[in-house]
Amino acid sequence: MTHFPSPDIIKKESKPDENGINIEETTKNGRKFTDPGEADRLAEIEAICFPPAEAASHEEVVKRMGAFPENFVVAVKDEQIVGFINGGTTDKPVLPDEFYHDITLHRKDGEIQTVFGLNVIPEYRHQGIAGELVEYFKELAKERGKKALILTCKEHMIPFYESHGLKKLGVADSCHGGATWYDMQIWF
């Protein structure tokens, strides 16, 4: 098993079954994650962390978990999921808006890991959880042979991502949720 930066950060791999999402794999202190209801929790967290025009719907979260289950990492604290990071893989060096809604654009063997969302519920922010999720996701991408990690973020998040080694490229060609987004990336 991979060493995690914190006992509360857990690699999350889910495997879809014939009836939908059946999350399994990864244990922490003997606890196995097999509750298909985790999609509900992740969608709930997404709705808390992003405005409605930007948040992935429950249906989109379920589709993503089915398309790239290996790219979901959750943070568990106090016996509950308090945050997560996820994203598809691609060969494109920027993250177009259509990638958020069209799972057929995901390429499991793509050379570039994307971040669709980094979410930590408000009462667990400013505890280093988001940073640990980013660092773990970067290491996971490297272990899988990816060449880069890319994302878009709002201006106030640029210093956070820069503190984790990502470089700002400029204003993204994105109108997602009517917001201004910035392209960020790190090449390994």
Side-chain angles (χ1 to χ4, degrees), residues 72-125:
F72 274 79
V73 178
V74 301
V76 175
K77 193 159 186 161
D78 301 328
E79 307 260 338
Q80 65 174 328
I81 297 173
V82 298
F84 71 101
I85 189 170
N86 77 99
T89 50
T90 184
D91 291 317
K92 297 182 180 191
V94 292
L95 186 54
D97 284 351
E98 60 268 13
F99 205 61
Y100 289 100
H101 306 288
D102 185 352
I103 59 169
T104 66
L105 298 175
H106 166 69
R107 300 284 179 256
K108 186 171 183 160
D109 61 347
E111 296 183 337
I112 300 172
Q113 177 67 57
T114 70
V115 174
F116 284 176
L118 171 63
N119 305 275
V120 176
I121 58 176
E123 54 269 32
Y124 287 91
R125 291 180 185 162

Side-chain angles (χ1 to χ4, degrees), residues 129-168:
I129 294 170
E132 289 187 41
L133 285 167
V134 169
E135 289 300 319
Y136 181 77
F137 213 50
K138 282 173 32 185
E139 290 306 311
L140 186 61
K142 287 180 197 177
E143 287 173 16
R144 293 178 176 163
K146 305 304 179 195
K147 294 183 178 178
L149 182 132
I150 64 171
L151 57 87
T152 60
C153 70
K154 293 181 180 172
E155 187 171 24
H156 72 278
M157 293 298 295
I158 292 170
F160 169 79
Y161 286 113
E162 287 178 334
S163 75
H164 291 282
L166 283 87
K167 306 273 188 259
K168 179 180 83 169

Side-chain angles (χ1 to χ4, degrees), residues 6-27:
S6 160
D8 291 318
I9 300 297
I10 297 177
K11 177 181 174 188
K12 179 57 138 192
E13 294 185 8
S14 63
K15 299 182 181 86
D17 67 9
E18 64 278 355
N19 298 320
I21 304 300
N22 179 23
I23 299 170
E24 61 180 68
E25 190 51 43
T26 305
T27 60

Side-chain angles (χ1 to χ4, degrees), residues 46-62:
E46 178 89 2
I48 291 168
C49 294
F50 284 97
E54 299 168 14
S57 68
H58 182 274
E59 179 183 5
E60 288 170 327
V61 170
V62 169

